[in-house]
Amino acid sequence: MVKICCIGAGYVGGPTMAVIALKCPSIEVVVVDISASRIAAWNSDQLPIYEPGLDDVVKQCRGKNLFFSTNVEVHVAEADIIFVSVNTPTKTRGLGAGKAADLTYWESAARMIADVSRSDKIVVEKSTVPVKTAEAIEKILTHNSKGVNYQILSNPEFLAEGTAIQDLFTPDRVLIGGRETPEGSRAVQTLKDVYAHWVPEDRILTTNLWSAELSKLAANAFLAQRISSVNAISALCEATGANVSEVAFAVGKDSRIGPKFLNASVGFGGSCFQKDILNLVYICECNGLPEVANYWRQVIKINDYQKSRFVNRVVSSMFNTVSGKKIAVLGFAFKKDTGDTRETPAIDVCKGLLGDKASISIYDPQVTEEQIRRDLAMNKFDWDHPAHLQPTSPAAVKQVSVTWDAYAAAKGAHGVCILTEWDEFRELDYQRIYDNMQKPAFVFDGRNVVDAEKLRAIGFIVYSIGKPL
Ligand code: NAD
Ligand code: UGA
């Protein structure tokens, strides 16, 4: 029986390994983590992450061929294939701070692998890492090897949160990069055999190590670039009377462009787009390519512009001040169908409104009050350093309240900001909301989810992204 161990039981490690276990009953999969609370949650009925379909997959294989453990060293020592899926946040201090990837967690995982291994291992980079990380990992492993042979593979993950299980069941592609040596090819084949249990062979791409590492950063940069492109156009739509939905539809009809990922929004969030583009920018700078670095940096600048443009719109529409006014924030997660708040645009928008002394009342169906308060108290880039690895600073934000209902959030409010596209926000009783708000009652739709005309008929003043007023 092939044994797999995955280091890191997070948004990637957990779902990815659960699906491998489900699709490969002959493989034993153990997911390990240094966070005892996270592992306890994976072993309970309340999984640590909300992801549609995940509960079902975990229930089917947990205790059979899928295990979650804090016994990191034992399971690493026993495994044939070790996936490393630890977090790779942006560095907060030192060389490359604010841009470069912080590989501390990765390096400590690699050193631990070298310490405890007594048999040959295939070590798989699942985390998103800078190009050439495999070379660094190889050095750590081989210089500390006790006669053990290591093969390093790059197998970046392309799942998106909220659709992780579907993405893992039917991936557009699985990418495996390895050394172009006989041993490297054998390792690639071993990993390919795992995925071949359910992924059609023509969707399993094999490349050299550096192409695989770079493809992951490039894919995220291309995806984020589409959003910044449509968001940039949304500003021009607002200035000219064009409608960004109509423009995006017309543009996306060109089969060379395609319709996906062209939804204008308050800005993209999530743990990876910004982090990975900053990482790409840093790699370009280190390789003497400032023009290329500046090109990609612009994708982030437009995203920041879009978020501050939204805050400015709220404040300027409400007679240039929100001081002392209650504003309801509907949605705090960075997208629907997840409870993840890492780099959510809601943090910047709420901080912007708080900066103008608004009092805000937040509702999100999946995000806890504790998480919201921690996010609003955190400094930039702290979000991807897990809470158990950093000093806690959940200083109470006094002007913030958190409710478990959209109606309670909007009661007595001057304005409503929709910041996540949860389906339930399309179905709300907006007449009831209007009746309980201060007048004039404003709706600022940062996700273009409401029917603006219907709301205007009720009496709301509605601002949508990239649409005529
Ligand atoms: P995460 O923070 O949810 O999980 C990482 C886990 O690793 C944490 O639970 C942490 O406790 C654990 N960890 C850290 N150091 C450890 C060590 N030395 N030993 C054992 N456990 C350790 O992160 P994530 O969202 O799962 O992302 C992991 C990687 O995958 C990142 O590089 C990210 O860029 C990449 N990625 C993420 C997504 C996504 O949707 N979240 C998608 C594709 C790729
Ligand atoms: C993204 C990529 O889609 C995944 O392929 C990748 O594996 C992952 O990053 C990663 O490396 O972490 P994720 O961040 O989970 O996945 O979610 P997305 O669906 O990409 O959404 C990211 C952000 O962009 C969200 O805030 C979303 O609301 C926003 N978005 C997305 C838009 O504003 N407009 C769109 O048209 C699409």
Side-chain angles (χ1 to χ4, degrees):
M1 194 185 208
V2 174
K3 284 192 176 183
I4 289 180
C5 176
C6 175
I7 305 177
Y11 285 87
V12 169
T16 312
M17 292 303 123
V19 168
I20 290 182
L22 182 76
K23 299 291 187 182
C24 313
S26 60
I27 296 179
E28 182 190 283
V29 182
V30 184
V31 191
V32 296
D33 203 293
I34 45 176
S35 163
S37 59
R38 226 172 195 187
I39 291 298
W42 279 110
N43 283 319
S44 76
D45 285 339
Q46 194 66 47
L47 300 184
I49 60 178
Y50 171 69
E51 191 62 65
L54 177 64
D55 279 33
D56 224 40
V57 176
V58 170
K59 270 189 194 131
Q60 285 185 62
C61 16
R62 195 172 53 192
K64 290 185 189 143
N65 65 330
L66 174 67
F67 303 91
F68 297 92
S69 170
T70 48
N71 217 338
V72 180
E73 301 187 353
V74 168
H75 293 293
V76 165
E78 285 177 355
D80 307 296
I81 305 175
I82 302 165
F83 285 83
V84 183
S85 187
V86 299
N87 39 322
T88 50
T90 305
K91 272 183 93 168
T92 52
R93 51 182 81 88
L95 188 66
K99 279 182 286 194
D102 180 349
L103 295 179
T104 314
Y105 307 116
W106 233 106
E107 186 173 336
S108 83
R111 288 186 186 279
M112 183 269 299
I113 295 171
D115 269 359
V116 304
S117 295
R118 298 289 176 271
S119 58
D120 293 354
K121 308 283 182 207
I122 295 174
V123 176
V124 184
E125 288 177 350
K126 196 42 137 174
S127 307
T128 304
V129 290
V131 192
K132 290 280 178 184
T133 298
E135 201 168 69
I137 300 307
E138 218 167 44
K139 274 199 191 111
I140 293 172
L141 292 172
T142 50
H143 285 269
N144 292 289
S145 138
K146 303 168 180 77
V148 170
N149 289 312
Y150 295 100
Q151 277 302 317
I152 321 291
L153 300 179
S154 165
N155 171 221
E157 184 49 61
F158 295 101
L159 68 79
E161 289 176 32
T163 53
I165 297 300
Q166 193 185 316
D167 295 343
L168 288 163
F169 278 0
T170 51
D172 286 347
R173 78 309 210 179
V174 165
L175 179 57
I176 305 175
R179 285 277 181 202
E180 291 154 303
T181 58
E183 299 78 22
S185 305
R186 271 200 298 278
V188 168
Q189 189 58 45
T190 304
L191 187 57
K192 213 174 156 183
D193 291 344
V194 172
Y195 285 107
H197 280 82
W198 79 98
V199 181
E201 199 152 334
D202 60 350
R203 293 203 176 191
I204 307 179
L205 317 181
T206 57
T207 63
N208 77 26
L209 274 169
W210 325 126
S211 303
E213 288 177 337
L214 183 54
S215 299
K216 173 64 197 176
L217 295 179
N220 272 359
F222 275 53
L223 288 168
Q225 181 205 44
R226 282 175 76 90
I227 304 169
S228 278
S229 296
V230 77
N231 281 344
I233 294 296
S234 78
L236 190 54
C237 286
E238 286 165 34
T240 56
N243 179 327
V244 76
S245 298
E246 292 174 355
V247 174
F249 184 75
V251 170
K253 272 290 177 194
D254 187 325
S255 60
R256 293 168 301 175
I257 297 171
K260 294 183 184 168
F261 251 69
L262 287 178
N263 293 321
S265 66
V266 59
F268 60 73
S271 62
C272 292
F273 279 172
Q274 172 165 303
K275 158 176 88 71
D276 294 348
I277 293 174
L278 287 171
N279 191 348
L280 190 64
V281 164
Y282 185 68
I283 295 168
C284 293
E285 285 172 352
C286 292
N287 282 282
L289 302 168
E291 290 81 1
V292 186
N294 284 336
Y295 175 75
W296 289 111
R297 189 182 282 113
Q298 201 58 28
V299 172
I300 294 176
K301 283 192 177 167
I302 287 288
N303 199 47
D304 288 338
Y305 166 73
Q306 189 75 349
K307 289 182 277 190
S308 56
R309 210 166 70 77
F310 186 85
V311 173
N312 291 345
R313 173 62 70 128
V314 174
V315 178
S316 63
S317 308
M318 296 173 81
F319 320 113
N320 255 351
T321 178
V322 288
S323 177
K325 292 179 184 165
K326 177 175 173 181
I327 301 198
V329 167
L330 302 189
F332 199 81
F334 81 96
K335 63 185 283 197
K336 74 170 182 177
D337 290 339
T338 179
D340 195 353
T341 59
R342 292 178 292 180
E343 279 294 301
T344 175
I347 295 177
D348 292 309
V349 171
C350 288
K351 284 187 172 175
L353 296 173
L354 290 169
D356 218 287
K357 295 206 169 74
S359 92
I360 54 179
S361 185
I362 304 172
Y363 164 68
D364 187 288
Q366 283 297 332
V367 185
T368 62
E369 173 162 1
E370 188 197 358
Q371 184 63 47
I372 289 172
R373 291 196 182 280
R374 194 170 1 175
D375 287 336
L376 293 177
M378 263 183 198
N379 293 323
K380 203 165 169 59
F381 297 127
D382 276 354
W383 47 271
D384 202 17
H385 294 265
H388 59 276
L389 298 177
Q390 63 181 315
T392 42
S393 63
V397 182
K398 289 197 191 82
Q399 297 140 275
V400 175
S401 62
V402 178
T403 69
W404 278 103
D405 172 293
Y407 300 104
K411 193 164 193 287
H414 291 78
V416 171
C417 296
I418 300 174
L419 301 185
T420 312
E421 72 282 19
W422 286 103
D423 290 337
E424 65 178 74
F425 297 158
R426 295 176 199 273
E427 313 297 330
L428 291 171
D429 180 349
Y430 281 98
Q431 181 69 54
R432 181 178 157 197
I433 289 179
Y434 180 80
D435 291 344
N436 289 310
M437 283 178 68
Q438 307 278 345
K439 309 295 176 323
F442 293 87
V443 168
F444 302 93
D445 185 358
R447 297 291 185 168
N448 289 350
V449 292
V450 299
D451 183 335
E453 285 319 310
K454 263 196 192 155
L455 264 61
R456 286 189 185 115
I458 292 174
F460 282 106
I461 297 173
V462 184
Y463 163 74
S464 311
I465 303 278
K467 300 200 176 187
L469 288 175

